[in-house]
Amino acid sequence: MYKNSILKPCGRLHQSPVGNRKEGRALNTNAPGSRKRGRPPRLSREQIVEAAYRIVRDEGAENLTMRRLSRVLGSTPMALYHHVRDKDELLTLVLEHVAQDLPRPPLPDNPRERIIVVCELMHRAFVDNPWVVPVVARGELVGLSAVWMTEEIIGALIDSGLGREQAFWTHQTIWYYTAGQTLHTPPREPSQDTGERAPHYPKVAATEPSPTAFPHLAKVAGDSRQLEAQYSYRLGLTHILDGALPPGSALR
């Protein structure tokens, strides 16, 4: 009795509309519009790196996580770990992705000129990819295809007469200057109320609390905006080199 009860449902359940609907769905799995479940599409390392690059470019490296990236790719975090070990390895791959597209033009023979050309290339790369600065500032991650810039700068500093330690330290000074220029906050927009910009800080300092409180700032208060506009990355780099390089190595 029990055997027949298991193999053959009673008449009421067999005729149930719910049972018919289940049966109908089972027989209609190939109907148009039905979706088959399966594994997500297979990923390549190139797809992962490109998607990660778009995230750090648009949102910053701090917003790159395996979970965030997996959502963008329609995959799972575990699937990503088949291609990259962790976030640091992923960032290294993204840095290399950017570094491979950087230009590498012929360089001048003169060491000082060579430093300036390479540093301006580095500055341009940072301006185009500002998210790179805080990542490489850690000193642990790097795109190897961009390391030639460091090699050229240190080599040119040594060719200019600096010792090994001085060349390395001067390169560090140049790097931090370049990074700071990249992250420099642009001047405020004109006031929406009056259409004029607020007074520049030297002018404010020269008049408050008294005109004699900051006499040197008072000397530049009148045209400090114009002086600021004339300042450039190359001018600041020239000041660094003038102070760091031995006499006689200046660009003529």
Side-chain angles (χ1 to χ4, degrees):
M1 178 178 72
Y2 291 104
K3 182 178 180 181
N4 289 338
S5 297
I6 295 172
L7 293 178
K8 185 178 179 179
C10 66
R12 185 173 61 184
L13 289 176
H14 184 64
Q15 296 172 3
S16 168
V18 175
N20 288 341
R21 285 200 298 271
K22 290 181 179 179
E23 183 178 345
R25 284 200 298 271
L27 293 174
N28 197 33
T29 53
N30 293 325
S34 64
R35 297 180 61 184
K36 296 182 179 179
R37 294 180 179 274
R39 295 181 178 179
R42 297 191 63 177
L43 298 173
S44 67
R45 175 172 280 199
E46 290 74 18
Q47 289 174 306
I48 293 172
V49 171
E50 179 61 35
Y53 166 69
R54 290 195 298 269
I55 291 174
V56 298
R57 180 196 64 193
D58 299 338
E59 304 174 27
E62 66 276 9
N63 290 309
L64 175 64
T65 65
M66 293 302 190
R67 189 177 299 276
R68 170 84 172 85
L69 181 58
S70 66
R71 288 200 300 267
V72 170
L73 292 168
S75 186
T76 65
M78 288 306 300
L80 302 181
Y81 286 112
H82 289 295
H83 299 273
V84 292
R85 181 177 61 255
D86 51 26
K87 179 178 176 179
D88 278 356
E89 183 180 17
L90 180 57
L91 283 173
T92 300
L93 292 171
V94 176
L95 288 171
E96 180 62 18
H97 174 74
V98 172
Q100 288 178 347
D101 289 335
L102 297 179
R104 187 173 182 176
L107 300 176
D109 293 331
N110 181 281
R112 184 183 173 106
E113 292 180 15
R114 192 157 69 247
I115 294 169
I116 292 174
V117 170
V118 176
C119 287
E120 288 184 329
L121 289 171
M122 177 173 63
H123 181 241
R124 184 74 261 165
F126 282 174
V127 169
D128 291 342
N129 303 276
W131 62 268
V132 166
V133 175
V135 174
V136 298
R138 293 167 49 187
E140 301 164 356
L141 307 180
V142 67
L144 286 177
S145 294
V147 174
W148 68 268
M149 294 185 184
T150 301
E151 174 70 14
E152 290 289 352
I153 293 171
I154 293 179
L157 289 168
I158 292 175
D159 290 344
S160 297
L162 297 185
R164 181 180 66 93
E165 295 87 353
Q166 287 78 13
F168 181 81
W169 294 331
T170 302
H171 166 265
Q172 290 293 96
T173 301
I174 292 172
W175 193 94
Y176 284 114
Y177 164 66
T178 306
Q181 273 281 306
T182 303
L183 301 178
H184 169 66
T185 303
R188 286 188 172 186
E189 295 297 325
S191 170
Q192 295 181 355
D193 297 330
T194 65
E196 298 178 357
R197 299 180 67 176
H200 203 204
Y201 77 93
K203 188 172 184 179
V204 175
T207 55
E208 299 177 8
S210 70
T212 59
F214 304 102
H216 298 295
L217 279 177
K219 294 178 181 178
V220 298
D223 61 347
S224 61
R225 289 285 188 191
Q226 291 83 353
L227 293 174
E228 185 180 63
Q230 293 171 16
Y231 185 82
S232 66
Y233 172 78
R234 186 185 181 109
L235 179 60
L237 179 62
T238 299
H239 291 160
I240 293 174
L241 296 179
D242 286 346
L245 299 183
S249 62
L251 178 64
R252 301 301 181 189

